[in-house]
Structure formats: structure tokens, C-alpha cells
Amino acid sequence: MSKLKISVVLLFCLFACKPRNKQKNSKFTVVTTTTMITDLLQNIGGEAIEVKGIMGPGVDPHLYKASEGDVAKLTQADLIVYNGLHLEGKLVDVFEKMNQIGRETVALGGLLTEKQIINSEAFVSAHDPHIWFSIDNWKKITKELIVFLSKLNPQNKAVYQKNGAKYIEHLNALQQEVKTKVEELPKENRILVTAHDAFSYFGKEFNFEVLGLQGLSTTTEAGVRDVQRLSNLIIQREIKAIFVESSVPQRTVKALQASVESKGKEVKIGGELFSDALGNTNEETGNYIGMFRYNVNTIVNALK
């Protein structure tokens, strides 16, 4: 048995048999994984629910391992919401244990149809897990969560429906704003080179060619051949900028930049994008809409 599985079993034994100390008038409690999901549940639930996110700003969900405190939160939750599609690959055993003790869980990837998910044989689940980078997907997930929450916690149904409808209006406005911004960029310049392959949904929805130095998961490492291949392509296609990510070490992208420079050409670091996690809660990038707007402005302005 691996060290990870042993730790999960030990933590499970510590908390699984403890009673949930829910006060009679306490709020419906939802525990979430990524910051994007935390933000989504806060928008739908508002004051009607208590949302507890286990991952903070800048945290890489591909590498995240459950702490003792996380397991305590999960075992006390009324609902656990996670991305699924193996984004939180090191938490799979934990979610299975939560199901075994009767905790209600929902994976957002399971709320989408096969047509809405990008297939990838290069990832463990054979699907690209970065589903939030499609605004269409995020709207569909919002609608499905409204229904799910309303059935699970019917006394707050009106709140979920009202808040959810308002949030979808905001997502519609964001989608139009992004389309308008992208139109500033000539089609031949719409080539997005990033640290890892997190932006394929964005590329599909807004007509960008997306090239990641690492694969779909940050658990993979970019090799010398990857750097050489991509640096040659940058030179051939005359790509103006490449991008680092807030939740991924910058060394691979800087190595790519150095490789281009070693061949007598230049490519700039166009800025830092937010991929697998939001920014700090007190900043523009601390919510999904602000993060998406910031990313698009950064990309378009750097590639003009």
C-alpha cells in the first residue's frame, strides 16, 4: 500500500466515525476543492450556505494532498463539490471514502455531456479536466448545480434560483466581453503558449491555437525535446509572447524563452495567467469573472 493510501486510511479512521456536530439552525455546509468551485458555490448559495474551500489561491490541484484538517471538513459536510476528471488526482481515495460513509458528493465534470468535454489520451481520465475555461460549460454547470442544491436543500431553493440566474447573466456578459476583446487580435496571432496545457477549452471557445509546454497535468515534466520543439515553432510562427502561470513554477517557460534567444530570436514573457487557481480574494483575479477577464486582457494585449 502506498504512503498516500496509508495516510488517507489513517485520516479516515480518525474522523469517519465522529458524529457530525450540526447545530439545529446551522447553515447548509458545502466543502469545495478548487478556488473556482468555491467562488461558484458562493455566488449560487450566497448567505444561505456556508462554503469551505480546502484549496487556496495559487494552489495546484493536480498535486494537492488532503491534510488532517481537510478530512475533518469533508466528514462534516452536507455536500462535497469537486471538479472530477482526475483534476484532483491525489484526492480520489478521499472522495471514495466520503461516499462510503454516506457523504453527498458531486463532480462537476459529471454534470457535462461527452460533447462538452475535450478528450485526451494523454491524461489519466482520457479527458481534459480544465472545464472551467469554457464559459458555456460554466453556465451549464451553474444551471445543474441550482437544480442539485434545490433538491438537496429545498428550503433554500428560491435563493439558489435567484442567485444562480443572476450569476448566469454575469457569465453571459463576460462571454460577450471576451468575444469583443478577442476580436482586437488578428486570427494569425491567436496562438497561446503556456506552461502547461490548461487552456484548450478556452482555445476551442474563442478560436485560439493552444500549446502547452507541459501536458494536461503539472505532474509531468517538460523535457529538453519539448523545449526545443516549441522554441522552433515560436520562431517559425513568429509568436510574440509566451505566458507563465500563477500555480506552476516559471522555470520551464523561462527555459523556453532562453532556448529561443539561443537561436538568435526573441520572445517576451507576456504576463502571468491564472490557470488552475484564482488569485487572492481581495484582488481582481480572486473571482472567476475577474480572473477570466484579466487572463484575456493579458493574452490579447501581449500578442497584438
Side-chain angles (χ1 to χ4, degrees), residues 7 26-27 31 35 45 47 57 64 69 79 84 88 110 124 128 132 142 144 154 167 180 206 231 254 264 277:
S7 64
S26 62
K27 290 183 180 180
V31 174
T35 49
E47 295 297 320
Y64 191 84
L79 174 64
E88 308 97 336
V124 64
D128 185 337
W132 59 92
T142 300
E144 294 294 332
Y167 190 60
T180 301
F206 298 103
S231 65
K254 289 185 175 180

Side-chain angles (χ1 to χ4, degrees), residues 14-298:
L14 280 171
F15 295 105
C17 297
K18 288 186 178 181
R20 285 197 288 177
N21 299 316
K22 296 287 289 183
Q23 300 295 324
K24 185 177 180 181
N25 297 319
S26 62
K27 290 183 180 180
F28 188 78
T29 302
V30 181
V31 174
T32 55
T33 54
T34 70
T35 49
M36 292 78 68
I37 300 174
T38 301
D39 179 66
L40 177 58
L41 268 295
Q42 288 170 338
N43 275 283
I44 297 174
E47 295 297 320
I49 65 175
E50 183 178 7
V51 183
K52 297 180 179 181
I54 65 174
M55 299 181 193
V59 172
D60 184 349
H62 296 285
L63 304 177
Y64 191 84
K65 297 179 182 180
S67 68
E68 184 176 312
D70 294 335
V71 176
K73 288 178 183 177
L74 291 165
T75 56
Q76 296 294 313
D78 294 304
L79 174 64
I80 298 164
V81 184
Y82 62 103
N83 189 85
L85 302 177
H86 278 264
L87 178 76
E88 308 97 336
K90 297 185 182 298
L91 298 181
V92 173
D93 289 333
V94 176
F95 297 140
E96 289 177 355
K97 294 297 183 184
M98 293 303 117
N99 286 326
Q100 289 173 17
I101 64 172
R103 297 295 178 265
E104 193 76 43
T105 65
V106 59
L108 299 190
L111 302 179
L112 299 172
T113 66
E114 280 292 323
K115 290 183 179 180
Q116 293 168 313
I117 298 173
I118 296 175
N119 293 325
S120 175
E121 295 301 327
F123 196 60
V124 64
S125 69
H127 297 110
D128 185 337
H130 304 89
I131 51 179
W132 59 92
F133 276 124
S134 162
I135 299 176
D136 279 336
N137 278 355
W138 215 234
K139 288 191 290 186
K140 170 73 183 313
I141 286 168
T142 300
K143 292 174 184 177
E144 294 294 332
L145 278 178
I146 292 168
V147 175
F148 191 87
L149 285 165
S150 296
K151 290 181 179 178
L152 202 60
N153 183 228
Q155 59 266 42
N156 288 316
K157 179 178 179 179
V159 175
Y160 302 142
Q161 290 179 333
K162 180 181 179 180
N163 289 349
K166 184 177 181 180
Y167 190 60
I168 289 170
E169 289 179 5
H170 291 320
L171 292 176
N172 286 332
L174 172 67
Q175 198 166 36
Q176 187 55 53
E177 181 183 342
V178 171
K179 288 178 181 178
T180 301
K181 184 66 179 179
V182 168
E183 285 301 316
E184 296 178 12
L185 194 62
K187 291 183 179 179
E188 61 270 20
N189 288 10
R190 296 179 194 175
I191 307 171
L192 178 59
V193 180
T194 59
H196 86 297
D197 194 6
F199 291 88
S200 291
Y201 288 94
F202 169 79
K204 182 178 180 181
E205 195 158 297
F206 298 103
N207 298 312
F208 273 77
E209 182 179 353
V210 177
L211 303 168
L213 188 53
Q214 292 172 257
L216 286 168
S217 173
T218 55
T219 59
T220 61
E221 288 288 342
V224 175
R225 287 185 180 180
D226 298 314
V227 172
Q228 290 299 321
R229 172 185 54 80
L230 201 46
S231 65
N232 289 335
L233 187 145
I234 288 168
I235 294 168
Q236 292 167 7
R237 304 284 292 275
E238 298 182 344
I239 297 171
K240 295 180 179 180
I242 56 180
F243 300 87
V244 296
E245 299 173 36
S246 64
S247 56
V248 181
Q250 297 183 8
R251 61 180 180 273
T252 54
V253 174
K254 289 185 175 180
L256 177 60
Q257 183 185 39
S259 177
V260 172
E261 291 175 350
S262 71
K263 298 170 184 176
K265 299 294 182 179
E266 290 186 3
V267 64
K268 65 182 178 181
I269 303 292
E272 181 182 60
L273 302 182
F274 291 80
S275 53
D276 291 345
L278 300 178
N280 294 322
T281 54
N282 61 343
E283 297 176 356
E284 174 194 1
T285 56
N287 63 80
Y288 175 84
I289 290 175
M291 173 275 292
F292 215 108
R293 179 184 294 118
Y294 169 87
N295 276 357
V296 171
N297 287 336
T298 301

